[in-house]
Amino acid sequence: MAMNRIQFQPGLSLPAFLEQFGTEAQCEAALEKERWPQGFRCPRCGQAEHCVLGAKFRKTFQCQECRLQTSLIAGTLFQCTHLALTIWFLAIYLVSQAKTGWSALALKRLLGVSYPTASLVQHKLMQAMAERDAQYTLNGKVHVDDAYLGGELAGGKAGRGSENKVPFVAAVSLNAEGHPVYVKMAPVPAFTRKAIGDWAKADLSPGCQVFSDGLACFAGVTDAGCQHQPTIVGTRKPKDLPEFRWINTILGNLKTSLGGAYHAFDFAKYGTRYLAAFAYRFNRRFHLETLPMHLLAAAVAIGPRPESWLRLAEESC
Ligand SMILES: [Zn+2]
């Protein structure tokens, strides 16, 4: 069964991880290999000849041609960090291996850093996950559903959900056998045709066959060049319909994840990032063992995302 293949895969054990990435030198070597698989190249002039400076704290390369100095972490998600790379790598390991995610409070204890630092590390890694998955769109047969963060989902304040209730769209692409392939989850301003059309343009490939429970706004996917096939639910609830089995299972997993690991957070501010991090993990659920290296690659590729940048991104959500 598909779910057992996920649950029983070996993953990467903590001892195996620490054997590979337990020292600063090992983490530096892994980061250097990820940044420059063919060896260092000067980012300004492309010269390979270099010498290494200041190995005391952070490895820095000096180009023999133009003398430009490039730190190992400059231009990556780790730029300007005062944390040891071993802490970052451990955070990458924890965040990538945990099906249900970690709260910043749990990360604080596990990493041995302050709460603000744990929270910042977590948000930077979630941002790397979000930006990596934003490069892809769903194809083919796609089931969509409307849901709320903070509504039925755990984490909302009982009876006072409205001020922390954020509408979002959940979508899953299915293969020919009807099994889930990839998911996308994104907050929307409201369940309107325009909002769904805008979402579909970003997250779906034109030509997708979109199946919904018939909520009128989902006709908006046709504005993105997709076909819409509503299922009239009538008096039955969508969860009772076999065709919506996977989207309901995935929303159930999300509920567990949010309830178990994060508890309540500011859904309007951070919803995009939390949902994208959940989708990122789901989309790589068969590759637990290599997931830390994939997340490292995403962290190198994304570039610096300082706290001020993250805050601006949160405000524009
Ligand atoms: Zn140079």
Side-chain angles (χ1 to χ4, degrees), residues 42 44-47 63 65-68:
C42 173
R44 186 155 68 192
C45 72
Q47 177 63 252
C63 173
E65 184 67 32
C66 74
R67 320 303 288 174
L68 179 75

Side-chain angles (χ1 to χ4, degrees), residues 21-221:
F21 306 110
T23 70
E24 198 64 10
Q26 286 173 315
C27 296
E28 280 186 351
L31 178 54
E32 188 177 333
K33 189 150 185 279
E34 184 55 49
R35 287 198 74 179
W36 300 292
Q38 318 300 330
F40 173 78
R41 287 270 170 187
C42 173
R44 186 155 68 192
C45 72
Q47 177 63 252
E49 296 290 314
H50 68 278
C51 58
V52 175
L53 307 169
K56 211 167 29 170
F57 180 61
R58 201 68 78 188
K59 197 170 179 181
T60 300
F61 303 79
Q62 181 167 292
C63 173
Q64 296 284 48
E65 184 67 32
C66 74
R67 320 303 288 174
L68 179 75
Q69 294 182 0
T70 307
S71 136
L72 178 61
I73 57 172
T76 73
L77 189 67
F78 316 116
Q79 179 168 302
C80 296
T81 185
H82 296 293
L83 289 178
L85 286 177
T86 47
I87 302 292
W88 274 104
F89 273 59
L90 186 56
I92 285 174
Y93 171 78
L94 293 169
V95 166
S96 66
Q97 297 294 297
K99 185 184 168 192
T100 54
W102 292 97
S103 67
L105 201 57
L107 276 182
K108 165 196 176 300
R109 295 188 190 112
L110 288 163
L111 299 177
V113 297
S114 70
Y115 180 80
T117 299
S119 176
L120 189 59
V121 164
Q122 184 188 33
H123 277 274
K124 284 189 180 192
L125 292 177
M126 289 198 299
Q127 184 64 28
M129 293 168 152
E131 290 192 40
R132 178 49 63 112
D133 262 11
Q135 298 173 3
Y136 307 107
T137 50
L138 298 183
N139 288 302
K141 202 183 223 189
V142 174
H143 278 205
V144 296
D145 204 0
D146 53 295
Y148 288 91
L149 280 171
E152 285 181 27
L153 293 174
K157 290 179 199 168
R160 302 183 52 209
S162 58
E163 85 276 18
N164 192 20
K165 198 169 160 181
V166 172
F168 72 96
V169 180
V172 55
S173 63
L174 302 176
N175 63 16
E177 289 77 46
H179 292 142
V181 187
Y182 298 115
V183 308
K184 286 271 186 185
M185 294 200 179
V188 287
F191 290 117
T192 61
R193 182 180 172 124
K194 178 172 184 320
I196 295 299
D198 290 344
W199 165 77
K201 283 171 196 162
D203 281 0
L204 302 182
S205 298
C208 276
Q209 271 184 293
V210 179
F211 296 79
S212 79
D213 63 5
L215 192 68
C217 65
F218 282 121
V221 300

